[in-house]
């Protein structure tokens, strides 16, 4: 009887393990993690990077994506462009769509990293800058395969390190991103009131200091001008020095001028405005 129970339990465990492996395999293969539209990687490199991205995704629970292109996206709107690309391709793991994506635009020589969901809180401003430094160095030297490997390794490193709680940690990029337009208006209004109060307090303290300084002076000393001064004129005469005449010519004329204003048009990409962190730079 005991032998039969143990046999059934062993079979159940084996089936559960097979199902778990199947689920993990399906999760890993569900989405392509590398899109090399700029064609900067060899086929063998693409296969290796794709596998590493899937392993990183499974290890961290963050969708880890690399996207290269030749779209010449300007620095002004590359943030929204990358954010939309991530959302439109349904990247992200879990309810919060957690993920990290490196975008490399070869035409504009611009790179950008966005973080979403749980990943945002492991990428402080300092950590994001460090990652950009590492990837920028590899890209600038033409080692595109090395840049991708550096990105993947650093993502796993920050996942294992957890949330950056060091005294120098700053998350200004994601805190601002999570505010709604109304919250941003209220924030600006509150900052305005705070600065006004600080200015009023400073002015009040200065006026008190001035009044105190004058109060300490006491009664001023008097000087008897009639008693202590004298004037004796020995000679008096009038002398004409010079004559100065100014002439002004008044004329009327009409003139017209035309002004030219230069216009610069740029394409913009509508952002989904979902919360994200990250940063970018040229390489």
């Amino acid at each position: 009887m005991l032998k039969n129970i143990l046999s059934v339990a062993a079979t159940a465990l084996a089936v559960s393990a097979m199902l778990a492996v199947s689920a993990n395999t399906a999760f890993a293969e569900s989405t392509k993690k590398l899109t090399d539209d700029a064609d900067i990687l060899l086929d063998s490199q693409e296969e290796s990077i794709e596998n590493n991205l899937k392993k990183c995704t499974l290890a961290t629970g963050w969708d880890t994506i690399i996207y290269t292109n030749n779209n010449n996206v300007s620095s002004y709107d590359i943030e929204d462009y990358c954010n939309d690309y991530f959302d439109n391709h349904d990247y992200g793991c879990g309810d919060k769509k957690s993920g990290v994506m490196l975008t490399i635009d070869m035409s504009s020589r611009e790179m950008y990293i966005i973080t979403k969901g749980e990943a945002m809180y492991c990428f402080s401003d300092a950590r994001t800058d460090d990652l950009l430094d590492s990837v920028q160095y590899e890209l600038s030297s033409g080692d595109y395969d090395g840049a991708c490997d550096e990105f993947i390794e650093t993502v796993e490193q920050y996942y294992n390190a957890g949330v950056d709680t060091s005294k120098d940690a700053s998350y200004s990029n994601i805190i601002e991103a999570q505010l709604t337009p109304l919250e941003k208006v209220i924030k600006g209004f509150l900052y305005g009131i705070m600065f006004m109060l600080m200015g009023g307090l400073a002015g009040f303290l200065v006026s008190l200091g001035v009044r105190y300084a004058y109060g300490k002076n006491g009664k001023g000393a008097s000087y008897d001008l009639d008693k202590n001064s004298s004037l004796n004129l020995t000679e008096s005469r009038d002398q004409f020095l010079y004559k100065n005449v100014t002439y002004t010519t008044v004329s009327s004329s009409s003139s017209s001028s035309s002004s030219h204003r230069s216009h610069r048009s740029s394409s913009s990409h509508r952002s989904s405005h979902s919360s994200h962190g990250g940063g970018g730079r040229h390489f």
Side-chain angles (χ1 to χ4, degrees):
M1 182 69 176
L2 179 60
K3 184 177 180 180
N4 290 336
I5 294 174
L6 291 174
S7 176
V8 171
T11 303
L13 287 173
V15 172
S16 298
M18 291 176 63
L19 289 175
V21 171
S22 271
N24 284 342
T25 303
F27 175 69
E29 299 295 337
S30 62
T31 307
K32 187 178 180 182
K33 309 301 180 186
L34 171 66
T35 303
D36 184 26
D37 286 349
D39 197 23
I40 59 176
L41 300 167
L42 301 175
D43 291 342
S44 59
Q45 293 173 338
E46 286 190 35
E47 183 178 358
S48 175
I49 293 170
E50 178 74 23
N51 290 333
N52 289 335
L53 286 169
K54 288 176 179 177
K55 289 178 182 178
C56 184
T57 298
L58 288 171
T60 62
W62 305 337
D63 218 352
T64 313
I65 310 298
I66 295 178
Y67 168 50
T68 75
N69 63 69
N70 285 307
N71 295 339
N72 197 25
V73 182
S74 66
S75 300
Y76 179 75
D77 57 5
I78 191 170
E79 179 181 359
D80 286 343
Y81 178 87
C82 296
N83 195 35
D84 285 346
Y85 183 89
F86 189 96
D87 291 341
N88 293 338
H89 286 77
D90 199 27
Y91 290 130
C93 299
D95 295 337
K96 296 184 178 180
K97 291 294 183 181
S98 301
V100 187
M101 183 176 77
L102 166 65
T103 298
I104 303 171
D105 187 339
M106 294 301 296
S107 294
S108 63
R109 305 290 292 181
E110 179 90 4
M111 65 174 179
Y112 202 90
I113 294 172
I114 65 169
T115 58
K116 294 222 172 188
E118 298 294 343
M120 291 192 297
Y121 301 99
C122 288
F123 281 81
S124 61
D125 296 345
R127 285 182 176 179
T128 300
D129 284 340
D130 288 342
L131 176 55
L132 289 170
D133 287 341
S134 301
V135 175
Q136 181 187 37
Y137 176 80
E138 302 291 349
L139 291 177
S140 298
S141 61
D143 186 3
Y144 306 124
D145 179 44
C148 295
D149 288 340
E150 184 71 27
F151 170 72
I152 297 169
E153 291 173 6
T154 306
V155 168
E156 287 199 57
Q157 175 187 335
Y158 289 161
Y159 170 78
N160 293 326
V163 177
D164 188 357
T165 57
S166 63
K167 64 179 181 179
D168 297 327
S170 171
Y171 292 88
S172 59
N173 54 345
I174 62 175
I175 292 174
E176 186 68 21
Q178 290 178 321
L179 295 177
T180 65
L182 178 59
E183 288 172 335
K184 290 180 180 180
V185 172
I186 295 174
K187 177 183 175 182
F189 179 72
L190 292 177
Y191 271 117
I193 293 177
M194 182 180 68
F195 288 132
M196 288 176 61
L197 291 175
M198 291 175 62
L201 178 61
F204 176 71
L205 293 176
V206 169
S207 65
L208 284 181
V210 171
R211 291 183 61 183
Y212 178 78
Y214 274 106
K216 294 288 289 183
N217 286 339
K219 184 179 180 181
S222 60
Y223 183 80
D224 192 341
L225 181 62
D226 294 335
K227 182 179 179 181
N228 297 291
S229 63
S230 62
L231 175 63
N232 295 318
L233 295 177
T234 59
E235 184 180 355
S236 176
R237 65 177 178 175
D238 294 328
Q239 182 175 348
F240 180 75
L241 296 178
Y242 62 88
K243 179 180 181 182
N244 184 23
V245 181
T246 302
Y247 296 93
T248 303
T249 303
V250 180
S251 62
S252 62
S253 62
S254 61
S255 61
S256 62
S257 62
S258 60
S259 61
H260 301 275
R261 180 177 299 175
S262 60
H263 299 272
R264 180 176 66 85
S265 61
S266 62
S267 59
S268 60
H269 304 270
R270 183 178 179 183
S271 172
S272 57
H273 300 296
S274 56
S275 299
H276 69 279
R281 64 181 61 165
H282 289 283
F283 60 90

